[in-house]
Amino acid sequence: MVELQMPQLDTVFHALGDATRRQMLRELADGERTVGQLAEPFAISLAAASKHIKALENAGLIRREVRGRVHMCHLDPGPLASAQSWLNYYERFWTDRLDMLERLLREDDARKAATPTEPPKELPKPKGDDR
């Protein structure tokens, strides 16, 4: 398992904490994009897009290649895999708890099915009530 150092893990989750940056990563999963192409769906300036790209670069999630005056961005999924490894611990935590809940619910259902159900007993009428 590749283990990220805590500061790098913090940087990755900070980068992933923004919806614009997550969408940029989705776009890059389909192939390289220019800064302009990454900015286009958001109607943001190239300067704003560059700030988002810089956050992704700092986290190691993308690489930028300069071709003349054009900056091409590429996805670097390595840190995503490392972050997923870190998250897997918590997946096991929830899976264990959900498995326990399922077991308890099945036991409760089995206990209810094994107990014959009787119609509710009629309560005795109070004395002096002729209804």
Side-chain angles (χ1 to χ4, degrees):
M1 173 173 89
V2 175
E3 187 66 35
L4 283 176
Q5 299 300 321
M6 195 54 67
Q8 187 178 359
L9 188 60
D10 291 346
T11 305
V12 169
F13 283 117
H14 170 75
L16 295 174
D18 183 87
T20 299
R21 292 192 285 266
R22 289 191 306 270
Q23 182 61 39
M24 286 178 168
L25 287 177
R26 276 190 216 109
E27 291 293 321
L28 291 170
D30 292 333
E32 68 182 16
R33 300 283 191 274
T34 65
V35 172
Q37 289 170 324
L38 289 173
E40 188 177 337
F42 305 104
I44 58 176
S45 69
L46 292 179
S50 289
K51 286 182 181 182
H52 285 295
I53 291 166
K54 192 68 174 166
L56 294 168
E57 281 181 305
N58 288 339
L61 294 167
I62 67 170
R63 291 178 291 104
R64 192 184 324 207
E65 177 186 340
V66 180
R67 297 181 189 159
R69 294 179 55 156
V70 178
H71 290 230
M72 298 302 296
C73 299
H74 306 268
L75 177 65
D76 187 354
L80 289 175
S82 298
Q84 180 63 44
S85 294
W86 185 85
L87 288 168
N88 282 341
Y89 169 80
Y90 295 98
E91 180 181 13
R92 288 191 303 271
F93 170 82
W94 284 110
T95 299
D96 290 348
R97 266 108 189 125
L98 290 171
D99 288 346
M100 183 185 304
L101 176 60
E102 181 182 23
R103 182 180 53 78
L104 291 171
L105 291 172
R106 288 183 190 275
E107 288 173 2
D108 189 52
D109 287 346
R111 188 174 57 254
K112 287 177 183 174
T115 306
T117 58
E118 297 178 16
K121 294 181 180 178
E122 195 172 307
L123 295 174
K125 293 180 183 177
K127 292 182 181 179
D129 191 355
D130 294 334
R131 286 189 255 169

